[in-house]
Amino acid sequence: MSAQDDQPLKRVLVTGGAGYIGSHVIFALQQTRRYKVISIDNHHNSSPKALERVAQIARDSLPSTASEKDKDSAEIDAHTVDLTKRDEIRKVFEKYGKGGIWGVVHIAAYKAVGESTEIPLTYYENNVSATVYLLQIMSEFDCTRIVYSSSATVYGTPPVIPIPETTRLEAHSPYGKTKVMCETIISDLCSAEPKRWRGLSLRYFNPAGAHPSGLIGEAPIGRPGNLFPLLAAIAVGRQPNDLKVFGNDYPTPDGTCVRDYLHVLDLAKGHLLALDALAPESKVFDNCPSDARYKAYNLGKGKGMSVLQIVEAMRKATGFDFKYEIVGRRRGDVPDLTADPSLAEKELGFKAKEDLETMCRDLWNWQTKNPNGYDS
């Protein structure tokens, strides 16, 4: 019997657990059978069915010799909670008591760049206030490890491509600014109480694809705001075949915006590596410039793809003939966001292995099995 077998499961709270990223992060945590997942989500842009499906994947992958502990790791403690309501967060923490939750992966947020320019106050409340409330309740219950879901939008228009983590933070949209603020708050907290807090911000580039089972995937409510799910919805006939490409006069190879896409399961594994790096024996904070135990990492492939390249890759995967129209640039869009992922590769052991073809194939598999998302 290994030392790990007699260790109890570590309870990890995932906010936004029913969302696209959240459900895949829960999958990665459950695969280890070392964590007991607690999910909180208000289902503003997600379905509770995602949690049932991801638990089903975990149950189905248990060996016949699974222990009671293994079986417990496949069940999710799901709570419907609004993070802008402190009392609702506190109720969840009270259930497990002081020190009862080992760490938090904070993913829940509103995330549409365009929408954030129209309703900035809603974004500041939901993304920034909610993070402050969460951190306050965490502190109250001696839960002082956090992995924060940040974004490449914190870089604004970066001076250097590929983008290193040392780039100054200068977001253009209210959404991007909420991410900069939350990173700053967590960093300040780690500086104020270096003996208590450990935090890692993960600056995601553009996740795509789905779990290969086709049981979980990206299921935005309404017209998808992101390119991949929009193309999938068009190909499956749920959205009209009238893609608008915002600008083809950018300083990029084909004039359209370039983004760094990575498979959502590679991204999910990055969260697992980050969570493990918050353990007491971890070495990732040894080279921090001060005694604050806080760092930020890019999670990307380090390879940019243009809008038109994605359209072509999805055409190959789906066999669908996409029609698109070039229109004017969209406010807040940046020409090129390609990651330099070498720091996460070196310090966390992160690698975004899956290629564009696999992302398209897995997305299309999910979409054809679930033409109307979780309500299919």
Side-chain angles (χ1 to χ4, degrees):
M1 190 176 188
S2 74
Q4 195 191 309
D5 292 334
D6 51 20
Q7 293 286 320
L9 296 173
K10 289 175 175 166
R11 290 193 196 104
V12 172
L13 177 75
V14 179
T15 74
Y20 173 45
I21 312 282
S23 55
H24 288 83
V25 166
I26 290 176
F27 164 76
L29 295 175
Q30 289 186 312
Q31 283 301 98
T32 67
R33 303 191 200 118
R34 291 186 282 122
Y35 291 108
K36 171 71 176 178
V37 175
I38 305 156
S39 164
I40 63 183
D41 200 305
N42 67 350
H43 303 300
H44 169 82
N45 191 28
S46 66
S47 166
K49 288 182 187 150
L51 296 170
E52 293 163 26
R53 301 262 192 102
V54 75
Q56 181 193 329
I57 294 171
R59 276 182 223 120
D60 292 348
S61 69
L62 288 171
S64 54
T65 56
S67 65
E68 285 310 305
K69 187 178 105 174
D70 288 340
K71 288 176 187 163
D72 188 31
S73 77
E75 304 305 321
I76 299 162
D77 273 357
H79 303 267
T80 303
V81 164
D82 183 335
L83 285 174
T84 61
K85 301 190 167 59
R86 265 200 200 87
D87 296 344
E88 292 186 16
I89 310 171
R90 188 178 281 108
K91 273 203 186 83
V92 174
F93 276 80
E94 275 169 350
K95 181 180 170 185
Y96 307 98
K98 252 194 180 179
I101 297 177
W102 188 83
V104 171
V105 181
H106 179 32
I107 305 172
Y110 291 165
K111 65 178 182 66
V113 169
E115 182 185 58
S116 78
T117 63
E118 292 155 14
I119 50 168
L121 280 180
T122 307
Y123 270 68
Y124 288 119
E125 178 187 36
N126 190 68
N127 294 7
V128 184
S129 303
T131 300
V132 171
Y133 299 153
L134 175 66
L135 292 164
Q136 285 173 328
I137 304 293
M138 285 172 66
S139 185
E140 207 178 298
F141 285 86
D142 286 334
C143 172
T144 54
R145 294 182 187 92
I146 185 163
V147 173
Y148 176 63
S149 152
S150 189
S151 159
T153 58
V154 298
Y155 296 122
T157 305
V160 177
I161 302 282
I163 307 163
E165 287 84 353
T166 49
T167 306
R168 52 78 201 117
L169 304 186
E170 197 182 284
H172 295 329
S173 67
Y175 164 68
K177 289 172 192 170
T178 67
K179 292 290 171 186
V180 174
M181 284 182 194
C182 292
E183 279 201 30
T184 307
I185 291 164
I186 295 165
S187 166
D188 288 346
L189 189 52
C190 292
S191 297
E193 300 187 71
K195 301 245 182 312
R196 284 189 81 211
W197 283 90
R198 295 180 162 221
L200 289 175
S201 287
L202 303 179
R203 296 173 183 158
Y204 308 172
F205 282 70
N206 293 60
H211 188 275
S213 66
L215 283 166
I216 56 172
E218 189 166 11
I221 292 165
R223 185 173 168 95
N226 293 353
L227 182 60
F228 266 107
L230 180 56
L231 291 171
I234 291 170
V236 87
R238 207 178 71 237
Q239 290 290 334
N241 188 9
D242 63 353
L243 177 72
K244 290 187 172 34
V245 175
F246 298 105
N248 66 346
D249 57 349
Y250 284 101
T252 59
D254 63 21
T256 63
C257 284
V258 166
R259 295 293 177 264
D260 186 336
Y261 290 92
L262 74 161
H263 198 292
V264 66
L265 283 182
D266 285 332
L267 179 68
K269 283 181 198 124
H271 288 73
L272 175 60
L273 294 167
L275 199 56
D276 288 340
L278 298 179
E281 63 276 10
S282 158
K283 300 267 181 279
V284 304
F285 299 106
D286 291 1
N287 60 1
C288 282
S290 69
D291 59 356
R293 289 177 295 184
Y294 171 80
K295 268 189 175 172
Y297 291 105
N298 287 337
L299 296 187
K301 264 183 96 67
K303 185 176 186 318
M305 309 275 175
S306 75
V307 174
L308 296 182
Q309 281 175 307
I310 300 298
V311 173
E312 177 55 22
M314 280 296 283
R315 186 189 63 73
K316 280 190 181 136
T318 63
F320 186 87
D321 182 24
F322 294 102
K323 303 275 181 266
Y324 63 84
E325 181 195 354
I326 307 285
V327 296
R329 292 182 177 194
R330 183 171 56 178
R331 193 165 71 146
D333 268 343
V334 173
D336 187 331
L337 282 177
T338 302
D340 177 351
S342 54
L343 191 68
E345 288 172 2
K346 188 172 100 213
E347 297 191 355
L348 295 178
F350 172 75
K351 192 86 185 119
K353 292 193 288 284
E354 303 297 346
D355 61 11
L356 182 59
E357 206 178 327
T358 308
M359 292 178 227
C360 294
R361 185 192 68 215
D362 290 342
L363 167 60
W364 188 232
N365 178 50
W366 149 258
Q367 190 70 90
T368 48
K369 286 180 176 168
N370 306 272
N372 295 305
Y374 287 103
D375 297 325
S376 299

